[in-house]
Amino acid sequence: MLDGPPQTWLVVGGRGAGKTRLGAEWVNSLVRGFSPFADRRHGRIALIGETLGDVREVMIEGPSGIMTISRHDRPRFEASRRRLVWDNGAVAQIFSSENPESLRGPQFEAAWCDELAKWKHAEACFDMLQFGLRLGERPRQLITTTPKPMKLLKRLLADPTVAVTRIRTAENAGNLAPGFLDMVRKRYAGTHLGRQELEGELIEDREDALWSRDCIENAFLGEVPELRRIVVAVDPPASSRVTSDACGIVAAGMDDAGRAIVLADATLRAAKPQDWAGAAVALFHRLQADCIVAEVNQGGDMVTAVIRTVDSSVPVRAVRAKRGKWLRAEPVAALYQQGKVLHAGRFAELEDEMCDFGPNGLSNNRSPDRVDALVWAITELMPDTVAMPRIRDFV
């Protein structure tokens, strides 16, 4: 590498570690040519986040965003043109990981990539950006992210030409709400989630988990084929208390090749049963599904009745678990290994649960609500393969 600032700087840190503030300061310094980040002004910059909304609400207008921390020559945001403009002529265009092709054509001197581990089309989006970093004497990019064991991030960490900085949440304690660190440490210290979200550690696959990251990466499907059947599976919480588990809601379909395709994860923590029932029914209509599959172990006939209060015309199939969660999930995990279950998108929270689901449940001891709903959906579509008993037919 040449002397001077790194061409690729990867900053890996926990939640609240100050990654966004660092990115905003880096961009403002490049625009003005301030050291230590720059020795000249940069005029063409790319800002890339998971979605366009994330770029605007976090990277630009958020509490630590570019506009918020600007002390002079505050840029103006031109929403219709999707760009930030400074009085000195510098321009920062915004892009979403959902649309890698939008990076085909524009060219830049620098780029800030935020929360890379959340990007929906990470490989394609990152590749298109590399072709666009072709202006100036030394194009550079800053990548800020909480770590997750994805292929692209692991490749960057292993690249000797990439400068890597690691930041723990505790290092930014002075800028966090009083009591925040004590609260999250008490709840998550030592867990898989805590090591990742607070310590900024890249946690590899759990050895005893049913799914691996590589397995899920291989299950990603770029284009959804014609589907002959679609179901929405619901795993209701045991109660409607604020502290209760979330309601797992996962939709999947079956294609003509006999493969199950996961279409959506609409899991939510609902204040009352009508909330999760409404979300399930809304997903049912949006996907034009054939039925809702609902586990009734906890609520019995009440589960079906709640869905009926939202829409009495929706077909509901009630199912009851007669085996433990691990035993129910094992045959579904085997279908992934065989290439018989695919994902029509990136479902980060569902994927995290799948790769953290061991014989004793999740490492944070919470209920695997998303995994449960996934298992019910795949079981409904492929009953002969999974061989799960049901208590009744349509009700």
Side-chain angles (χ1 to χ4, degrees), residues 183-195 198-199:
M183 183 272 291
V184 292
R185 280 171 172 165
K186 182 178 180 180
R187 185 166 187 172
Y188 300 110
T191 67
H192 176 287
L193 191 63
R195 291 170 60 196
L198 298 177
E199 304 302 320

Side-chain angles (χ1 to χ4, degrees), residues 6-7 13 15 20 23 38 122 149 277 325 341 375:
Q7 289 177 289
R15 297 278 191 94
T20 302
K325 298 177 186 296
V341 182
V375 168

Side-chain angles (χ1 to χ4, degrees), residues 13 24 43 100 119 190 195 211 241 261 276 297 321 330 337 383:
W119 284 13
R195 291 170 60 196
W211 287 271
R241 296 193 304 270
I261 299 174
W276 60 253
N297 284 55
E330 275 189 308
Q337 295 289 344

Side-chain angles (χ1 to χ4, degrees), residues 7-39:
Q7 289 177 289
T8 300
W9 183 16
L10 173 60
V11 178
V12 179
R15 297 278 191 94
K19 302 185 299 297
T20 302
R21 178 62 182 264
L22 172 61
E25 295 284 3
W26 184 81
V27 170
N28 272 313
S29 294
L30 262 59
V31 166
R32 298 180 175 88
F34 289 167
S35 63
F37 296 137
D39 55 9

Side-chain angles (χ1 to χ4, degrees), residues 111 171 339:
E171 294 177 56

Side-chain angles (χ1 to χ4, degrees), residues 74-148:
R74 194 166 186 260
R76 60 187 179 278
F77 181 57
E78 298 180 351
S80 62
R81 302 187 66 177
R82 297 179 180 176
R83 67 179 194 172
L84 266 181
V85 180
W86 283 262
D87 288 341
N88 67 4
V91 175
Q93 294 177 259
I94 73 173
F95 300 90
S96 162
S97 70
E98 298 173 315
N99 184 15
E101 289 298 305
S102 64
L103 283 159
R104 187 185 294 275
Q107 51 187 350
F108 316 99
E109 297 170 80
W112 173 22
C113 308
D114 191 44
E115 291 299 350
L116 179 77
K118 290 175 60 183
W119 284 13
K120 289 183 169 56
H121 301 290
E123 296 278 354
C125 190
F126 190 78
D127 288 344
M128 286 297 100
L129 173 62
Q130 305 316 298
F131 288 109
L133 286 169
R134 57 180 186 261
L135 293 181
E137 297 179 1
R138 187 182 175 85
R140 63 192 61 177
Q141 57 191 333
L142 169 64
I143 304 164
T144 53
T145 188
T146 300
K148 289 187 179 181

